[in-house]
Amino acid sequence: MGCIGCTVGTSNGSPKGCGSKGNCSTGGCNRLNTYDWLSSMDIVDTDPFDVVEVSFKNGARKGFYRLREHLRTGTGDMVVVETGNGFDIGTICLSGELVRLQLKKKKTEEPDVAHEVVRRANERDLERLEEARSQEMATMVRARVIARTLGLEMKIGDVEYQGDKRKATFYYTADGRVDFRELIRHYAKEFRVKIEMRQIGARQESARIGGIGSCGRELCCSTWLTDFKSVSTAAARYQNLAINQSKLSGQCGRLKCCLNYELDTYLDALESFPENADKLETKYGKAVLIKTDIFKQIMYYAVSQENGRNKVYILNLERVNEILEMNQRGEKPETLEGLGLFSGENELEEVDFEDGTGDIELPMEKRRRRKKKKKPRKNPSSSQQSGAKKEDSGDKNNRSNSKNAPANNSKKGQNAPTQKGNKSKNRRFRRKKK
């Protein structure tokens, strides 16, 4: 199990951790790592096993490879391995006799291991691997953009380059089948490498990415959990958990795998509880089951009373079985008091209320008055200047009126004699007609 810095934080494609210096709980920084306790012991194996387990990209992917003759390697060495289309670089995470057990766990036969370990990785190989890891984030962002432009309902979750940068594997999630033939053409044209598409589930995606769960620890799927069993809401009901989707779902959006961890223990404890014990018949009414403590093996029943309040009684399983047998015979117990685990301390205390009018006076709420905004005062200097401007404008108007006045008078004087001449002409014309 790696530390948080290894699985979550990376710098230039390499993990930000102790550097596999043995400070982790399992002695390495790989995710889903198997502790190789034989490698730390000074024991010489006379008949060494020639198959090793190699992890790639900080434990995100693992595979079995066969060692060549006269090649001395050990756990933690960086090696170059052959693949179907090139070479890849990884870390030996398990070697020796423990690989036999790992083969049985993975249900893989020894003759099925076809690829070999070529040699140890040199500085040039490690530089090319670092270059490939540094390009993966930019490639994933560009790949998402291309998939979105083509209108495909899929999500690119992770990209992994091969050590020789000849091949790129795109891990994606989708609800159904996706026709990505056109998408592969665009990817091959854009990235100039061989493209491989692999569809994974939501849990496998969160296992590859990693993260921190609600418990404060690393995700189980990215540290030690490899087989994903189906989880249903019935597991939460058996454990008396509230059906809250936000609290029961993990970072993958599915129900948490940890709901199955203690499910068998709860099922074994529930076998001793009676069936159809939700209601018990008494002479005072029905007792309704409100709570069950599975590990203490006690049951809480509420009985309604005349005042509308309920009394809660605590009964053990033996007493509940006795009452159920009485109800089957048609008998009803008189009361539940003093039976089973009931005591006066377990009864809910009744709270009385007193009339406190006149004894307690609440202070009157004071209404806050809104403050009026004060108008800004005018400066006296500005008012004097405005008055002076008005006087100047008034003088100008008077001057213009005085200039126009004689001109108007002169016009009137010119028109006056012409009007008198016209009147005299009209009089003469009338006299001639007469």
Side-chain angles (χ1 to χ4, degrees):
M1 184 186 297
C3 57
I4 295 175
C6 291
T7 55
V8 179
T10 57
S11 176
N12 297 326
S14 60
K16 294 179 181 177
C18 62
S20 295
K21 297 175 183 177
N23 294 335
C24 298
S25 59
T26 57
C29 290
N30 278 328
R31 290 178 291 186
L32 299 174
N33 203 12
T34 304
Y35 181 50
D36 192 356
W37 55 273
L38 284 176
S39 62
S40 60
M41 301 177 67
D42 296 334
I43 299 176
V44 179
D45 193 358
T46 58
D47 187 13
F49 192 52
D50 61 344
V51 177
V52 294
E53 186 181 23
V54 182
S55 67
F56 304 94
K57 198 179 179 181
N58 195 22
R61 178 173 57 88
K62 291 184 179 182
F64 296 101
Y65 295 88
R66 194 177 298 277
L67 287 173
R68 289 184 176 181
E69 295 182 1
H70 310 293
L71 182 62
R72 295 181 180 179
T73 57
T75 304
D77 294 338
M78 299 290 292
V79 293
V80 179
V81 298
E82 61 181 10
T83 59
N85 4 337
F87 299 95
D88 204 351
I89 303 171
T91 307
I92 297 178
C93 59
L94 198 62
S95 61
E97 291 297 323
L98 295 178
V99 183
R100 295 183 188 271
L101 302 176
Q102 198 73 358
L103 287 171
K104 291 181 181 179
K105 182 181 178 181
K106 301 292 184 181
K107 297 180 180 180
T108 305
E109 298 293 334
E110 183 180 348
D112 296 338
V113 181
H115 301 298
E116 296 181 348
V117 177
V118 180
R119 55 179 171 83
R120 286 191 177 186
N122 52 29
E123 293 183 359
R124 177 56 183 162
D125 297 331
L126 298 179
E127 288 178 0
R128 296 188 67 181
L129 179 64
E130 188 175 353
E131 291 177 2
R133 295 289 178 263
S134 61
Q135 294 178 3
E136 289 176 351
M137 182 57 68
T139 303
M140 184 179 66
V141 174
R142 181 59 183 163
R144 288 180 176 178
V145 173
I146 295 174
R148 192 181 299 112
T149 53
L150 294 177
L152 298 177
E153 295 182 358
M154 58 184 295
K155 176 190 174 184
I156 306 295
D158 193 13
V159 178
E160 181 180 355
Y161 271 98
Q162 202 168 264
D164 55 1
K165 297 173 63 177
R166 293 182 180 178
K167 176 184 172 184
T169 305
F170 294 82
Y171 296 91
Y172 71 95
T173 57
D175 295 334
R177 297 184 64 182
V178 180
D179 186 8
F180 45 76
R181 290 175 292 181
E182 185 69 22
L183 180 67
I184 291 177
R185 296 192 191 97
H186 285 78
Y187 283 176
K189 184 179 179 181
E190 180 74 21
F191 305 119
R192 303 289 182 180
V193 293
K194 185 177 180 180
I195 305 298
E196 181 181 354
M197 304 293 294
R198 286 190 182 180
Q199 185 174 3
I200 58 176
R203 289 176 176 170
Q204 285 82 1
E205 181 187 11
S206 62
R208 291 187 64 87
I209 297 172
I212 306 299
S214 58
C215 58
R217 297 174 61 89
E218 287 187 82
L219 297 179
C220 299
C221 55
S222 63
T223 51
W224 62 271
L225 187 62
T226 55
D227 52 338
F228 299 102
K229 296 181 180 179
S230 60
V231 185
S232 61
T233 55
R237 293 192 181 95
Y238 284 127
Q239 301 175 45
N240 290 335
L241 298 176
I243 307 300
N244 190 345
Q245 193 69 20
S246 60
K247 291 184 178 180
L248 295 180
S249 58
Q251 292 190 357
C252 58
R254 305 293 190 270
L255 291 174
K256 293 179 180 178
C257 299
C258 56
L259 291 175
N260 284 339
Y261 295 168
E262 299 178 352
L263 180 60
D264 295 336
T265 306
Y266 277 90
L267 292 176
D268 293 340
L270 285 171
E271 289 180 357
S272 58
F273 279 78
E275 297 180 357
N276 300 324
D278 295 337
K279 294 181 181 180
L280 299 178
E281 296 289 343
T282 62
K283 291 186 177 181
Y284 293 97
K286 291 183 179 181
V288 182
L289 179 65
I290 59 174
K291 183 182 177 182
T292 303
D293 196 329
I294 298 174
F295 294 109
K296 290 183 179 180
Q297 292 192 345
I298 55 178
M299 306 174 76
Y300 295 78
Y301 285 90
V303 180
S304 59
Q305 296 181 350
E306 296 178 355
N307 55 4
R309 298 175 185 172
N310 295 337
K311 277 190 176 182
V312 179
Y313 298 91
I314 302 175
L315 304 177
N316 58 5
L317 299 183
E318 295 177 359
R319 183 55 188 168
V320 173
N321 290 325
E322 290 179 4
I323 297 174
L324 287 174
E325 291 177 358
M326 294 174 63
N327 291 336
Q328 289 178 359
R329 295 193 301 265
E331 299 177 1
K332 296 180 181 181
E334 294 183 0
T335 180
L336 298 178
E337 294 183 4
L339 303 176
L341 298 177
F342 175 80
S343 62
E345 297 176 357
N346 296 325
E347 187 178 358
L348 294 178
E349 297 181 359
E350 295 185 2
V351 182
D352 296 331
F353 298 94
E354 296 180 357
D355 188 6
T357 54
D359 298 335
I360 301 174
E361 292 184 0
L362 298 176
M364 297 293 292
E365 295 181 358
K366 294 182 180 180
R367 295 183 179 179
R368 294 182 180 180
R369 296 181 180 178
R370 295 182 180 178
K371 294 182 180 180
K372 295 182 179 180
K373 294 182 180 180
K374 294 182 180 180
K375 295 181 180 180
R377 295 181 179 179
K378 296 181 180 180
N379 295 330
S381 59
S382 62
S383 61
Q384 291 177 2
Q385 291 176 0
S386 61
K389 288 181 180 179
K390 288 181 180 180
E391 290 178 359
D392 295 339
S393 61
D395 295 338
K396 288 180 181 179
N397 293 330
N398 293 331
R399 290 174 187 174
S400 61
N401 292 331
S402 60
K403 287 180 181 180
N404 294 330
N408 294 331
N409 293 333
S410 62
K411 288 180 181 178
K412 287 180 181 179
Q414 292 176 1
N415 294 330
T418 54
Q419 290 176 359
K420 288 180 181 180
N422 293 330
K423 289 180 180 179
S424 60
K425 287 181 180 180
N426 292 331
R427 287 176 184 173
R428 292 176 186 175
F429 183 73
R430 289 174 182 172
R431 288 176 184 175
K432 287 181 180 180
K433 283 185 176 181
K434 290 179 178 180

